[in-house]
Amino acid sequence: MQEVANSTADSKDNFASQVMGQLKQDILTGYFKPGEKLRMARLKERYQVGISPLREALSQLLIEQLVIVENQRGFRVHPISKEEMLDIYETRAYIEALCINLAIERGDDEWEAGILAAAHKMRKFSTLLEKEPHEWERRHQAFHSAIAEGCQSPTLLHVRRSLYEKASRYRNLWLKKNMLDSQIFDANQKEHDSLIDALLNHDAGKARELIREHLLSPSRTLLTTEGFE
Amino acid sequence: MQEVANSTADSKDNFASQVMGQLKQDILTGYFKPGEKLRMARLKERYQVGISPLREALSQLLIEQLVIVENQRGFRVHPISKEEMLDIYETRAYIEALCINLAIERGDDEWEAGILAAAHKMRKFSTLLEKEPHEWERRHQAFHSAIAEGCQSPTLLHVRRSLYEKASRYRNLWLKKNMLDSQIFDANQKEHDSLIDALLNHDAGKARELIREHLLSPSRTLLTTEGFE
DNA sequence: AATTACAATAATGTCGACATTTTACTCTTT
DNA sequence: AAAGAGTAAAATGTCGACATTATTGTAATT
């Protein structure tokens, strides 16, 4: 069992927080498979901490529904299902549309500038998509976050982030197979451009429609992929 | 320091889960005040468990943002603020409106029947409002849940529940002062009746408007109450 | 008298150990 | 050979103890 580099560790946080982040990544990226049993001995070895911080980290992921617990039978990675995926993506589309609606109402010049800046950083990286998919994913997410943050509601953005993380499990399982499909990717880029246009024109109805399509198309593609049920 | 009765303890769950529920109640009801320090010795005494389950329970509430943690300085109850309250209520109004919108689209006869049943149980209890406010609160919540559950989306309902719990902290601080204001209460009852009408008529626009008013009026009243800032 | 340095107290974060429960395996019986 | 009981092994859940860090109180110095 290989250990994991502790590069992103925040030395100000306690072990539990650090392990929580690493464990979350390992689940989201698929290192730990859906439904897989999380044995303490193995986790101890991987993250190099004792049982107490591990249980704390797992408890936190429990609330986010990334792991499940059966009494006296330890923890497992939350299983995936077609139904849950559709439900998450659907809900996420509604929440994202809500964020955008409010952002168009409330957003100021700084908001618009932030969107264009994030879009630029994303486009600049599009040629490196295949080389560093992780960084591209980060910039893609930053772009959409820049849009949503215009709603200026911490509570709503917290909900949004939680749904994003849950969805990324499914997306990561999908990306591995469809990462190199440049046709899908180009369509994606065009959708981004249309979305920016709608936002700058304060066309809320159009923006809602675009973001819904943008978010839901991956879930439809994912449905046709093998490995479910 | 008094101990707390362990009546609702699910013997199937581990200590951490049980303590989590009790601690959540104690925070929501205001037994532990906003910003108050949660010393381990005191919690140990109150819930009669060791440190490990306590830390697990606190870790779970951490994600739900009901407690905060400062490294090496223990846990505190999440502080309250006027801004956060308004943000939570506002977000909650949007989410609830979304649930209702979907419920009207998707709801069937069973959904309508469930609403009427819950409304009946709530009305039957209205005379006991002052005697058993806790049970009335439960039925009121059950009524609104019956409506929202028509959206048939576990993910969206999970979000809704989380926001409801955060809001109830503020509501509980408020209820103690306004519980006996029968004028407000009567208006509340009328709002429920209008809402049911709109739902059964599948009038989504009207229902959205009503639920928004129903949810936001407490937060406006709460704003005029002392004890903030 | 106020401020800083220092010491004592208290509280937190982590680990290993123990008891309990679950799981796996073997041996017996039909 | 298959099924079931009994036993051995492994994993979990909880607790107390220890080291580290923060807080409080006191004394000394300017």
Side-chain angles (χ1 to χ4, degrees), chain A residues 31 44 56 66-67 70 83 89 142 154 171 183 193:
Chain A
Y31 177 86
K44 241 175 96 169
E56 282 186 44
L66 288 176
V67 304
E70 295 167 288
E83 291 74 25
Y89 269 90
R171 190 176 48 250
Q183 195 179 355
D193 293 337

Side-chain angles (χ1 to χ4, degrees), chain A residues 12 14 55-56 59-60 63-64 71 87-88 90-91 94-95 98 102 106 153-156 159 163, chain B residues 12 14 55-56 59-60 63-64 71 87-88 90-91 94-95 98 102 106 153-156 159 163:
Chain A
K12 66 172 163 51
N14 58 13
R55 287 192 66 86
E56 282 186 44
S59 293
Q60 295 180 29
I63 296 296
E64 295 191 48
N71 194 21
D87 191 41
I88 289 173
E90 178 96 5
T91 304
Y94 284 120
I95 298 295
L98 181 54
L102 293 172
R106 301 173 184 173
S153 165
T155 305
L156 184 55
V159 168
L163 291 176
Chain B
K12 68 172 162 52
N14 58 13
R55 287 191 66 85
E56 283 186 43
S59 293
Q60 296 181 28
I63 297 295
E64 296 191 42
N71 192 19
D87 191 42
I88 290 173
E90 179 95 3
T91 304
Y94 284 119
I95 298 295
L98 180 55
L102 293 172
R106 302 173 183 173
S153 165
T155 303
L156 185 55
V159 168
L163 291 176

Side-chain angles (χ1 to χ4, degrees), chain A residues 86-95 97-98 163 212 216, chain B residues 93-108 111-112 115 146-157 159-160 199 202-205 207-208 211:
Chain A
L86 291 172
D87 191 41
I88 289 173
Y89 269 90
E90 178 96 5
T91 304
R92 203 173 150 233
Y94 284 120
I95 298 295
L98 181 54
L163 291 176
R212 182 171 176 82
L216 291 185
Chain B
Y94 284 119
I95 298 295
E96 195 82 22
L98 180 55
C99 290
I100 287 183
N101 221 23
L102 293 172
I104 289 178
E105 276 180 30
R106 302 173 183 173
D108 50 8
W111 171 64
E112 298 184 354
I115 294 172
I147 296 172
E149 274 158 19
C151 78
Q152 297 178 348
S153 165
T155 303
L156 185 55
L157 289 171
V159 168
R160 177 182 175 271
L199 292 174
H202 287 66
D203 187 344
R208 276 203 309 270
I211 197 65

Side-chain angles (χ1 to χ4, degrees), chain B residues 56-115:
Chain B
E56 283 186 43
L58 287 163
S59 293
Q60 296 181 28
L61 299 179
L62 198 64
I63 297 295
E64 296 191 42
Q65 300 195 314
L66 288 177
V67 304
I68 57 177
V69 61
E70 295 168 287
N71 192 19
Q72 302 288 12
R73 277 191 254 180
F75 296 86
R76 309 187 83 88
V77 179
H78 196 289
I80 62 175
S81 71
K82 208 193 291 185
E83 290 73 25
E84 195 202 43
M85 185 202 70
L86 290 173
D87 191 42
I88 290 173
Y89 269 90
E90 179 95 3
T91 304
R92 203 174 150 231
Y94 284 119
I95 298 295
E96 195 82 22
L98 180 55
C99 290
I100 287 183
N101 221 23
L102 293 172
I104 289 178
E105 276 180 30
R106 302 173 183 173
D108 50 8
D109 295 347
E110 201 187 342
W111 171 64
E112 298 184 354
I115 294 172

Side-chain angles (χ1 to χ4, degrees), chain A:
Chain A
M1 178 65 51
Q2 68 180 16
E3 292 173 21
V4 81
N6 203 349
S7 57
T8 59
D10 247 307
S11 58
K12 66 172 163 51
D13 289 336
N14 58 13
F15 285 9
S17 279
Q18 298 175 29
V19 171
M20 203 275 275
Q22 295 178 328
L23 189 51
K24 185 189 276 187
Q25 282 308 308
D26 283 338
I27 292 175
L28 296 184
T29 60
Y31 177 86
F32 290 118
K33 302 284 185 297
E36 182 175 350
K37 187 144 205 318
L38 296 168
R39 274 183 298 108
M40 284 298 179
R42 185 174 173 189
L43 298 178
K44 241 175 96 169
E45 209 178 330
R46 180 167 174 83
Y47 303 114
Q48 294 290 302
V49 294
I51 293 177
S52 307
L54 275 174
R55 287 192 66 86
E56 282 186 44
L58 288 163
S59 293
Q60 295 180 29
L61 299 179
L62 197 65
I63 296 296
E64 295 191 48
Q65 299 195 312
L66 288 176
V67 304
I68 57 177
V69 61
E70 295 167 288
N71 194 21
Q72 302 288 10
R73 275 192 254 179
F75 296 86
R76 309 187 84 89
V77 180
H78 196 291
I80 62 175
S81 71
K82 208 191 294 183
E83 291 74 25
E84 196 203 43
M85 186 203 68
L86 291 172
D87 191 41
I88 289 173
Y89 269 90
E90 178 96 5
T91 304
R92 203 173 150 233
Y94 284 120
I95 298 295
E96 194 82 22
L98 181 54
C99 290
I100 287 183
N101 220 25
L102 293 172
I104 289 178
E105 276 180 31
R106 301 173 184 173
D108 50 8
D109 295 347
E110 201 187 343
W111 171 65
E112 298 184 355
I115 294 172
L116 292 176
H120 182 72
K121 285 190 211 162
M122 181 173 63
R123 280 201 205 92
K124 279 281 181 178
F125 211 84
S126 58
T127 52
L128 296 170
L129 173 65
E130 300 177 18
K131 265 186 163 172
E132 297 186 48
H134 192 69
E135 174 63 15
W136 188 82
E137 181 54 33
R138 214 187 56 73
R139 296 189 183 206
H140 182 208
Q141 159 65 359
F143 167 68
H144 283 291
S145 289
I147 297 172
E149 273 157 20
C151 78
Q152 297 179 347
S153 165
T155 305
L156 184 55
L157 289 171
H158 185 257
V159 168
R160 176 183 176 272
R161 177 169 189 79
S162 163
L163 291 176
Y164 167 77
E165 287 178 350
K166 272 195 219 141
S168 45
R169 284 185 72 202
Y170 289 96
R171 190 176 48 250
N172 282 326
L173 294 169
W174 172 69
L175 268 183
K176 285 171 190 160
K177 302 183 181 178
N178 295 56
M179 197 152 40
L180 306 178
D181 192 330
S182 64
Q183 195 179 355
I184 287 182
F185 176 72
D186 289 344
N188 230 272
Q189 287 290 71
K190 286 214 182 71
E191 287 174 22
H192 288 154
D193 293 337
S194 309
L195 179 59
I196 293 175
D197 279 349
L199 292 174
L200 297 186
N201 290 326
H202 288 67
D203 188 343
K206 178 89 183 200
R208 276 204 309 269
E209 187 187 321
L210 285 170
I211 196 67
R212 182 171 176 82
E213 192 57 29
H214 185 64
L215 285 182
L216 291 185
S217 62
S219 76
R220 280 197 287 268
T221 309
L222 194 42
L223 263 187
T224 65
T225 311
E226 302 299 318
F228 273 97
E229 205 69 24

